[in-house]
Amino acid sequence: MDWLERAAKLRQWTRSGARAPHKPLLFLYALGRFQQDADDELRYSAVEEDLRRLLAEYGPPHRTTPAYPFHHLVSDGVWEVRTDHGPGSPGTGIRELRAAGAAGRLAPELRAALRREPSLLGRMARILLDLHFPPSLHGELCDSVGLEPEPAEGERLSTTRRQRDRRMRELVLTAYEYRCAFCGYDGRIGSLSVGLEAAHVRWWAYDGPDEVDNGLCLCSLHHKLFDKGVLGIGDSNRILVSQRFTGHSAAAREHVTALSGRTLIGPQPGVRPVAAAHRSWHTSQVFHGAPRPAG
């Protein structure tokens, strides 16, 4: 049984590029718990809040429930659920899962494979991260679920379908003249830029192309905030700031809330700006809530 293949081919609800990372998040959480205690069983009532927080932070902007992946991940052959009455899940109802004492853990065959080959866990985690989340979130997501994955240079699976274009960073930074499109930061050490990154607007994990009109040159801070849905891009390339963001310091006001309504810096003349389709995807799938008023 190819467990890497199974990790890469989780069955998920998909429609028009909508994000549905519910199963990958539960799977990563279960791998993290296995890494800490291989015999641990995850009682739904005990882990519900952990899973809810993960979905709120790394899932789609709309509200969702951890009961859905807790029940449905069984169909992928990597997870099992038992209740106080025996094997099997009572369904996707929150009350039913709580009342039945539902508990889940990795499937027995997978647990045995992970015991025989400990490095398999890190490779599976790396596939889940690569296929469902942007690189800027990998480290903190691993911290959130208590995972220590294999290094990025480790084994990759052909089912990741495509390779990233290594030229993307240079093309995007050149298009924006090595300045953050949100704040204008353009720091260098000698002749080398520092703290600037090429951000995908539509995430690569969700078929975002490695093309300039799907990229932004952003400083490290604004890249993270963009991928977390704090910042977005509206009509006429105006910067959106989520109403859900709060920050009372002068730094938070200057570097985040004051950006609301400003026009993006760049790209330089002759370069295509962010495509409307990619901008729209980010607004619907990543940006959190309604934007603050301009100014």
Side-chain angles (χ1 to χ4, degrees):
M1 186 174 297
D2 193 333
W3 294 109
L4 298 179
E5 188 89 11
R6 290 208 176 186
K9 293 186 175 180
L10 296 180
R11 291 174 231 168
Q12 294 173 271
W13 178 87
T14 57
R15 187 180 68 186
S16 302
R19 294 177 59 219
H22 308 67
K23 284 183 177 180
L25 283 169
L26 173 58
F27 201 175
L28 285 166
Y29 182 81
L31 289 172
R33 292 291 291 264
F34 180 90
Q35 200 171 49
Q36 297 164 31
D37 182 354
D39 297 316
D40 198 13
E41 193 172 55
L42 310 181
R43 201 168 182 87
Y44 180 79
S45 57
V47 302
E48 181 180 358
E49 280 309 306
D50 282 352
L51 297 176
R52 197 180 297 280
R53 280 194 295 270
L54 284 173
L55 283 168
E57 190 162 2
Y58 301 103
H62 57 269
R63 289 185 178 276
T64 186
T65 169
Y68 169 85
F70 202 91
H71 168 77
H72 285 293
L73 188 59
V74 172
S75 66
D76 293 281
V78 298
W79 176 252
E80 66 173 3
V81 175
R82 297 177 58 87
T83 69
D84 293 339
H85 310 293
S89 169
T92 58
I94 295 175
R95 291 180 181 176
E96 290 79 3
L97 286 165
R98 292 172 181 165
R105 60 178 176 174
L106 299 176
E109 299 87 350
L110 176 53
R111 297 200 308 272
L114 292 171
R115 287 188 175 99
R116 288 193 306 270
E117 187 182 355
S119 66
L120 175 63
L121 187 149
R123 300 203 305 277
M124 293 181 76
R126 178 60 58 187
I127 285 169
L128 293 168
L129 292 167
D130 283 345
L131 290 179
H132 302 286
F133 304 97
S136 67
L137 301 184
H138 289 184
E140 67 173 67
L141 181 48
C142 286
D143 289 342
S144 295
V145 299
L147 258 176
E148 295 183 13
E150 290 292 290
E153 299 79 33
E155 177 180 343
R156 295 293 183 94
L157 190 66
S158 61
T159 47
T160 55
R161 301 187 306 279
R162 54 196 182 110
Q163 297 293 317
R164 295 176 184 269
D165 188 338
R166 295 175 183 270
R167 301 171 300 168
M168 170 79 170
R169 180 181 184 275
E170 185 64 27
L171 291 172
V172 169
L173 267 60
T174 298
Y176 285 83
E177 301 180 280
Y178 289 81
R179 290 185 301 171
C180 175
F182 286 164
C183 69
Y185 169 82
D186 60 355
R188 290 177 176 270
I189 294 180
S191 62
L192 300 175
S193 66
V194 60
L196 288 173
E197 301 166 355
H200 283 75
V201 179
R202 180 179 180 128
W203 293 356
W204 186 89
Y206 286 85
D207 296 324
D210 284 333
E211 297 175 0
V212 172
D213 67 357
N214 186 42
L216 286 173
C217 175
L218 297 177
C219 67
S220 301
L221 171 65
H222 289 131
H223 188 178
K224 177 61 69 69
L225 296 178
F226 187 63
D227 283 348
K228 292 296 286 281
V230 172
L231 300 174
I233 312 170
D235 296 336
S236 302
N237 285 328
R238 299 280 180 178
I239 299 171
L240 306 179
V241 179
S242 173
Q243 289 183 353
R244 297 182 186 176
F245 174 80
T246 58
H248 304 292
S249 67
R253 291 194 297 273
E254 178 184 354
H255 297 299
V256 185
T257 53
L259 297 176
S260 181
R262 290 186 188 175
T263 304
L264 285 180
I265 301 169
Q268 60 179 284
V271 176
R272 289 175 299 168
V274 175
H278 303 323
R279 190 177 71 223
S280 177
W281 182 89
H282 185 276
T283 301
S284 65
Q285 298 301 315
V286 180
F287 186 73
H288 279 276
R292 290 170 174 264

